[in-house]
Amino acid sequence: MFSKALSSFTSNISSNYALSPQPTGTAGAWNIFDAKRKQSGKAVSVFVFDPKSLAPPGGSLMGGRGNAASLKRAHEEVMERLRKEASSLARLRHPSILELQEPVEETRSGGLMFATEPVTASLAGLLHEKDDQERAGGVGGRGSRYVVEEADGTRKRRELEIDELEIQKGLLQLGKGLQFLHESAGLVHANLTPEAVMINAKGDWKISGLAFCGPHESSTAATSLTAISLSEALNNDPRLPRSVQLNLDYTSPDFVLDNHLAASADIFSLGLLIIALYNSPHTSPLGTNGSSSTYKRLFATPSTLPTQSNNFLVPSSHPLPPKLSSELLPRLITRRPAQRMSAREFQEASYFDNILVSTIRFLDALPAKTAQEKAAFMRGLPRIIPQFPKSVLEKKVLPALLDEMKDKELLAPILTNVFAMVKAMPTGKRAFSTVVLPRLRDVFITNRATERDPSKEAGLMVVLENVETAATNCSGKEFRDDLLAIVLLALESPTHALVDAALGTLPYVLPVLDLTTIRHDLFPAIAAVFAKTSSLAIKIKGLDAFYIFCGGNPNAAENSAADDDDLNGIGVPSSSSSSSSAILDQHTIQEKLVPLLKAIKTQEPGVAMSALRVFRQIGGTEGVDSEFLALEVLPILWRMSLGPLLDLRQFGAFMGVIRGMGGKVERERMRKLEEMGGSGTGNGVGAGARGRVGNSRGLSANGLTEGEEADFETLVSGRKAAAVSTTNGDGDLMSDRGAPRPAARGSTPAPTSSMSGTPTFSWQTSSTTPSPQVPRQKPQRQQQQQQQAALSSLRAPQPLSQPIGRTITPDQSLSSFATLTPASQFSQPLQPSRVGGSTGISSASVPLRHAATTNGFATSAIVAGGGAGGSSIDWSAATSNTASAWSSQRPVQPPQQQRQAQQTVPRPTNGGFSLPPPPMSPPIMNALRPPGGSGGGQKPQGAGGGLDRYESLL
């Protein structure tokens, strides 16, 4: 006794499996418990027999010591038959026989237990459930006794369905099991009842209850099982429960009337079981109440026997299928064994001849089919799927297909059918999460191949095409943990078609994932693909993805650049292109996305227009400041807009976005400056006072009173200049359009051509281009005084009270420049000359260019001088490093002395310009000749000098 108790503590099942607290069903004398293996979590069903169920009612021994001894022997026989039942399952291995997981063991209380594959219920329990539902008024009339525990700990009602296809499928499986017992094992079941048929989790019908199983009389197979004693088996003991004895309601007359142990007896029992499936209530048409005499009396009267004439004793309210009642049952329920069909013939009956049953039969034999047969079957299966009952799809067809996913050649067609079934099933979400998703993870992630596998790539393509279905039928956590890894795997693939399909899943992936996962996992993967791809389609798909990341609507059509967004100055978003909030944050857009777009090298119009769509979305994204748009985005847009492959419409789209974005930058900047001006913290420029500088005290930092105009001469000289015309209309201080040269006092201003846009200043001479009108020459003395005064004003600092222009920061410090003083050769203006009898160039129309020194070297020095006799150009003065035009402090010399000094200056060598002076056009050469010098006339005296040397060079 103590050893039994110790063995119960150390039993394999008790120590390695966690059993449910309550049984989920019964099967004869056994209570069925759901259980899971502690180490692996593998689900099993544990059958437990409690010896207390053998005790008689009230605990009396009914007749003293002798009766007690016989009852004990009866109990021992029952225990032996139950052990035989479990051990027979271990010996018999067949798909239609219940699969044993753990052998039978004794419990602490002296009972028995063994573990099998997971089962849902017995066929008897299912029929009792249907009876209860019918008595209660339908399926929803009463709660089911059968419940199942989900993974999250919740318990729910089992879905127990039995329809015509379920019956046909189950009967076929029973026929296969009986064929195996009769022909291969040489055994007869002898007690085939609904209690002996188990329904597993896949909906398959499995044979169990082998307590009375033994070799039949014509058996030639070697077996260790002993044949049953019919006399003992048919003699029911009232002291024992009915569940542990032979059920006469399903017994063949071969046993009771002929005392013959033949294999055909199981075929008769199978016919009675089929009638019970359609009967109401779902019981055998033979009601013997366990009495052999009652059984014999029923067979003595033909009217009490189930025959075709009396519809096999089934009520007319539950008619039998025509082929079943007319062809199959008459050859099953017959008195003579020779007229019964065998188990093999039973499977070939016309009752099973339909497309759905044929499909299930093919699935059962699928592992033995050839590759061509499997491929043809998978191609035709999608047309059959809608005809299947949903329970059959989930419990039978779907598991069979998932088991075949180990064949990589069939991976793509199998997955196509799997997703089609998930869509068709009402319980598709549960099926996808529990069986499909783990299988996908094992195939693509766990067993990930290091080399390219075309078969797996084809299956992966099917998964990507059905991401929408997957996202609908699983939770966000399951999608993030499993399906996202599959999408990222496709993005890393070298196959362009896979990458393209993975990018196309974004509209279905983004709503399921959280922002953190998108920013840290999905966006970097897409950015890497975009940067390294050489495919134009993938490049455009990547830009479409970025558009969605920036808040674009993935379902909206591509909009033109003229849409009413915030970049066109209207500020009203277009209702046809509504977009959601941006997924990427401001930092990711500015620091990662825009540099990625800036690095685009291709000039394909498709890529450019897709990038334009992204930039337009970026410009309208909240958080992206206008300074970033101006400094980073607009230069990229300008560069892309000048692409050589863009047509007129595409270029116009770029210009629309550029103008709109520039307007946004302008509005933001104006608003900030107005806010700064309105707060009194500094100078401000109002919208109506552009180009005018002032402050709240009426005096600017440059000395200008409020409302005064500033010009460049004021900024340079520091003195207040004459009014400057602003005919250009823009009011810009740095504008060079339409600003006329102020005329000197006492001189007639030169007319300005309307087509000229060249700026002129008071210290600048007129252009070298011949003017249509020559101004009147100023007195020489007066011009010298004005030049001296201008140069003195540059050297002398002005008081603060004198208004000056806006202060600017120079590129170089002004202290590095030497004091500017006019040279002697610039003290005399040029005299007008005649060229070919027409008016030449006066001194006022020859430009006076000062010698600006940079790093101590003269950059330009062209001096013009002359008198009545002609003109000359002194190149030696231009190339001198020391005699600058503004650095000499010598007194002014008369013109004749100047010409003599010029003639004595030697010709410059390498110490001056390294290049010869540039050639001059013939009109300028003629203008430089003295009056009367046209044609081949003689040059005036003293007018040779530098011009002769210059002409000799020509």
Side-chain angles (χ1 to χ4, degrees):
M1 190 67 179
F2 179 78
S3 61
K4 291 184 178 180
L6 183 61
S7 64
S8 65
F9 282 110
T10 59
S11 66
N12 188 30
I13 298 176
S14 300
S15 59
N16 295 333
Y17 292 88
L19 277 66
S20 60
Q22 298 296 329
T24 57
T26 59
W30 303 93
N31 291 321
I32 306 174
F33 293 81
D34 289 339
K36 290 184 179 180
R37 191 171 183 86
K38 295 179 180 179
Q39 290 81 1
S40 61
K42 182 180 179 180
V44 296
S45 291
V46 176
F47 288 69
V48 179
F49 171 71
D50 187 0
K52 295 180 181 180
S53 62
L54 298 178
S60 63
L61 296 180
M62 299 177 61
R65 181 178 302 177
N67 195 12
S70 62
L71 181 62
K72 183 178 180 181
R73 287 193 301 270
H75 287 179
E76 291 177 351
E77 292 176 358
V78 169
M79 296 291 290
E80 187 63 28
R81 285 199 298 268
L82 294 178
R83 289 191 184 95
K84 177 184 178 182
E85 178 178 350
S87 60
S88 297
L89 293 176
R91 293 187 181 97
L92 302 174
R93 295 288 182 176
H94 190 268
S96 295
I97 295 179
L98 186 64
E99 181 181 354
L100 186 70
Q101 297 290 340
E102 298 289 346
V104 63
E105 301 175 355
E106 289 190 8
T107 64
R108 183 189 313 177
S109 59
L112 301 174
M113 63 189 309
F114 63 93
T116 67
E117 61 178 303
V119 297
T120 302
S122 65
L123 182 59
L126 179 61
L127 295 179
H128 290 327
E129 178 74 11
K130 291 297 181 182
D131 290 338
D132 293 341
Q133 290 178 356
E134 291 175 2
R135 284 192 295 265
V139 176
R142 176 179 176 179
S144 174
R145 299 190 306 267
Y146 303 100
V147 294
V148 62
E149 184 175 352
E150 296 291 333
D152 56 358
T154 60
R155 296 171 62 84
K156 71 170 193 173
R157 180 183 181 276
R158 290 181 186 268
E159 294 183 4
L160 302 177
E161 297 182 10
I162 181 169
D163 54 18
E164 186 65 22
L165 182 60
E166 288 275 3
I167 293 175
Q168 290 178 335
K169 174 181 69 66
L171 292 179
L172 271 177
Q173 292 170 338
L174 294 183
K176 291 179 181 179
L178 291 178
Q179 179 185 352
F180 168 75
L181 288 177
H182 297 166
E183 297 179 4
S184 300
L187 302 175
V188 58
H189 189 281
N191 194 28
L192 186 62
T193 66
E195 298 282 352
V197 177
M198 305 302 299
I199 303 176
N200 67 0
K202 296 180 180 180
D204 297 331
W205 291 13
K206 300 294 187 79
I207 295 176
S208 65
L210 301 175
F212 296 92
C213 180
H216 52 79
E217 295 178 353
S218 60
S219 173
T220 58
T223 178
S224 59
L225 296 178
T226 58
I228 63 172
S229 174
L230 288 177
S231 59
E232 295 179 1
L234 295 175
N235 186 17
N236 285 346
D237 192 340
R239 298 172 300 176
L240 300 177
R242 288 277 189 90
S243 58
V244 297
Q245 302 184 67
L246 189 68
N247 192 345
L248 294 179
D249 292 349
Y250 292 91
T251 302
S252 169
D254 303 345
F255 289 176
V256 181
L257 302 179
D258 301 335
N259 199 22
H260 180 61
L261 194 62
S264 60
D266 290 338
I267 302 300
F268 190 94
S269 299
L270 179 61
L272 295 176
L273 186 148
I274 294 175
I275 294 176
L277 293 174
Y278 292 93
N279 200 5
S280 181
H282 296 84
T283 57
S284 171
L286 301 179
T288 64
N289 198 22
S291 172
S292 299
S293 59
T294 304
Y295 185 92
K296 294 177 182 179
R297 187 168 56 250
L298 290 175
F299 271 83
T301 308
S303 60
T304 57
L305 292 179
T307 61
Q308 186 177 2
S309 59
N310 58 16
N311 196 31
F312 299 96
L313 301 179
V314 176
S316 58
S317 59
H318 294 74
L320 296 172
K323 290 186 177 181
L324 184 64
S325 60
S326 61
E327 298 179 12
L328 187 60
L329 286 178
R331 297 192 60 189
L332 298 178
I333 303 176
T334 178
R335 175 68 181 85
R336 299 185 178 277
Q339 297 177 351
R340 301 172 196 156
M341 61 175 56
S342 65
R344 184 185 297 273
E345 295 173 339
F346 172 79
Q347 301 173 54
E348 298 174 356
S350 60
Y351 171 68
F352 302 108
D353 188 12
N354 61 76
I355 185 64
L356 299 183
V357 176
S358 301
T359 302
I360 293 177
R361 298 177 71 172
F362 191 93
L363 284 173
D364 291 337
L366 191 61
K369 301 296 182 179
T370 63
Q372 291 78 10
E373 292 175 334
K374 291 179 180 179
F377 173 77
M378 294 299 173
R379 287 193 298 268
L381 184 59
R383 297 192 298 269
I384 310 300
I385 287 177
Q387 305 178 31
F388 274 102
K390 304 305 182 289
S391 59
V392 177
L393 286 178
E394 181 180 359
K395 297 176 182 178
K396 179 63 181 177
V397 182
L398 182 61
L401 293 182
L402 294 177
D403 289 341
E404 287 298 316
M405 285 180 63
K406 58 182 177 291
D407 189 351
K408 295 186 296 183
E409 299 298 328
L410 296 176
L411 192 58
I414 287 175
L415 288 175
T416 301
N417 289 284
V418 166
F419 281 104
M421 284 185 286
V422 171
K423 293 178 183 179
M425 292 187 301
T427 58
K429 186 172 184 178
R430 181 185 64 191
F432 185 82
S433 299
T434 55
V435 295
V436 177
L437 195 57
R439 190 60 180 160
L440 293 178
R441 180 175 59 248
D442 294 340
V443 172
F444 295 107
I445 304 301
T446 305
N447 300 323
R448 181 176 178 180
T450 57
E451 299 180 356
R452 288 188 60 182
D453 191 341
S455 300
K456 277 195 174 182
E457 288 183 349
L460 184 57
M461 179 64 74
V462 175
V463 176
L464 295 175
E465 292 172 351
N466 292 274
V467 165
E468 182 181 6
T469 303
T472 306
N473 291 281
C474 68
S475 63
K477 183 179 183 302
E478 292 172 338
F479 192 95
R480 183 182 67 250
D481 296 342
D482 298 327
L483 280 177
L484 179 60
I486 296 177
V487 174
L488 296 179
L489 177 65
L491 287 174
E492 298 173 1
S493 174
T495 305
H496 287 171
L498 283 178
V499 179
D500 186 80
L503 291 174
T505 62
L506 285 184
Y508 315 111
V509 171
L510 296 181
V512 183
L513 300 178
D514 56 283
L515 293 179
T516 303
T517 304
I518 295 174
R519 294 171 182 174
H520 296 166
D521 297 335
L522 186 58
F523 172 74
I526 296 178
V529 170
F530 178 81
K532 68 181 181 180
T533 185
S534 59
S535 171
L536 179 62
I538 295 177
K539 207 78 170 179
I540 295 177
K541 277 290 185 67
L543 291 170
D544 293 341
F546 296 151
Y547 171 76
I548 299 175
F549 285 149
C550 294
N553 189 350
N555 299 322
E558 293 189 5
N559 304 316
S560 64
D563 283 341
D564 291 338
D565 53 17
D566 191 41
L567 300 180
N568 57 12
I570 299 178
V572 181
S574 175
S575 60
S576 61
S577 59
S578 59
S579 61
S580 57
S581 58
I583 297 175
L584 300 180
D585 57 299
Q586 178 185 0
H587 173 77
T588 305
I589 291 177
Q590 297 186 178
E591 301 297 330
K592 297 181 180 180
L593 179 56
V594 172
L596 195 65
L597 300 177
K598 184 179 181 181
I600 295 177
K601 296 181 180 180
T602 180
Q603 296 180 344
E604 287 290 335
V607 176
M609 299 309 295
S610 297
L612 177 65
R613 192 165 174 241
V614 178
F615 279 121
R616 184 171 64 242
Q617 191 66 28
I618 291 175
T621 302
E622 296 182 1
V624 179
D625 52 10
S626 58
E627 182 178 356
F628 177 80
L629 296 178
L631 300 180
E632 298 294 338
V633 177
L634 281 176
I636 303 175
L637 288 175
W638 273 111
R639 177 175 60 83
M640 287 187 173
S641 67
L642 301 179
L645 302 179
L646 297 181
D647 57 19
L648 180 60
R649 181 187 61 84
Q650 294 166 342
F651 178 76
F654 268 95
M655 290 300 99
V657 174
I658 290 174
R659 286 192 297 268
M661 195 174 294
K664 180 179 180 180
V665 172
E666 180 184 5
R667 292 192 300 273
E668 291 292 328
R669 190 63 179 172
M670 293 286 294
R671 182 182 58 81
K672 291 182 180 179
L673 292 177
E674 288 176 355
E675 292 176 355
M676 293 173 60
S679 61
T681 57
N683 296 337
V685 180
R690 189 180 302 176
R692 304 178 68 89
V693 183
N695 56 18
S696 59
R697 295 187 299 272
L699 183 65
S700 69
N702 297 328
L704 289 175
T705 59
E706 184 176 2
E708 279 192 313
E709 299 289 344
D711 61 353
F712 189 76
E713 183 179 1
T714 304
L715 299 177
V716 175
S717 63
R719 63 181 177 83
K720 184 174 181 180
V724 180
S725 174
T726 58
T727 57
N728 55 356
D730 59 359
D732 193 351
L733 297 179
M734 302 304 295
S735 177
D736 57 355
R737 295 179 296 173
R741 169 178 170 268
R745 182 167 33 184
S747 62
T748 302
T752 305
S753 174
S754 61
M755 299 299 292
S756 175
T758 305
T760 57
F761 305 97
S762 61
W763 47 269
Q764 180 181 353
T765 59
S766 60
S767 173
T768 57
T769 305
S771 177
Q773 296 182 3
V774 180
R776 182 164 51 89
Q777 180 182 0
K778 295 186 296 182
Q780 178 178 354
R781 184 64 178 175
Q782 183 180 356
Q783 189 179 21
Q784 292 177 359
Q785 290 177 357
Q786 289 181 0
Q787 291 180 357
Q788 291 288 352
L791 295 176
S792 300
S793 65
L794 289 175
R795 293 193 301 267
Q798 300 296 326
L800 182 62
S801 60
Q802 183 179 357
I804 60 175
R806 182 187 304 173
T807 59
I808 61 173
T809 301
D811 295 335
Q812 295 182 356
S813 177
L814 293 178
S815 61
S816 61
F817 289 90
T819 304
L820 303 179
T821 305
S824 59
Q825 58 266 36
F826 289 91
S827 60
Q828 296 295 334
L830 293 177
Q831 300 300 325
S833 59
R834 290 283 183 179
V835 180
S838 62
T839 304
I841 302 176
S842 66
S843 62
S845 62
V846 178
L848 178 64
R849 304 179 185 272
H850 68 278
T853 60
T854 305
N855 298 328
F857 294 97
T859 58
S860 64
I862 302 176
V863 295
S871 62
S872 66
I873 299 177
D874 191 353
W875 290 102
S876 63
T879 57
S880 176
N881 292 333
T882 57
S884 175
W886 297 94
S887 62
S888 175
Q889 301 295 331
R890 292 178 297 177
V892 179
Q893 297 179 356
Q896 295 181 357
Q897 296 180 6
Q898 293 180 21
R899 287 193 296 270
Q900 294 175 3
Q902 293 171 4
Q903 293 176 3
T904 59
V905 175
R907 185 174 180 177
T909 60
N910 294 336
F913 283 98
S914 60
L915 296 176
M920 303 183 68
S921 60
I924 298 179
M925 291 295 301
N926 295 332
L928 294 177
R929 295 182 183 277
S934 61
Q938 184 179 359
K939 299 178 183 179
Q941 183 180 359
L947 183 59
D948 293 340
R949 291 192 298 269
Y950 181 77
E951 290 179 343
S952 65
L953 292 176
L954 299 178

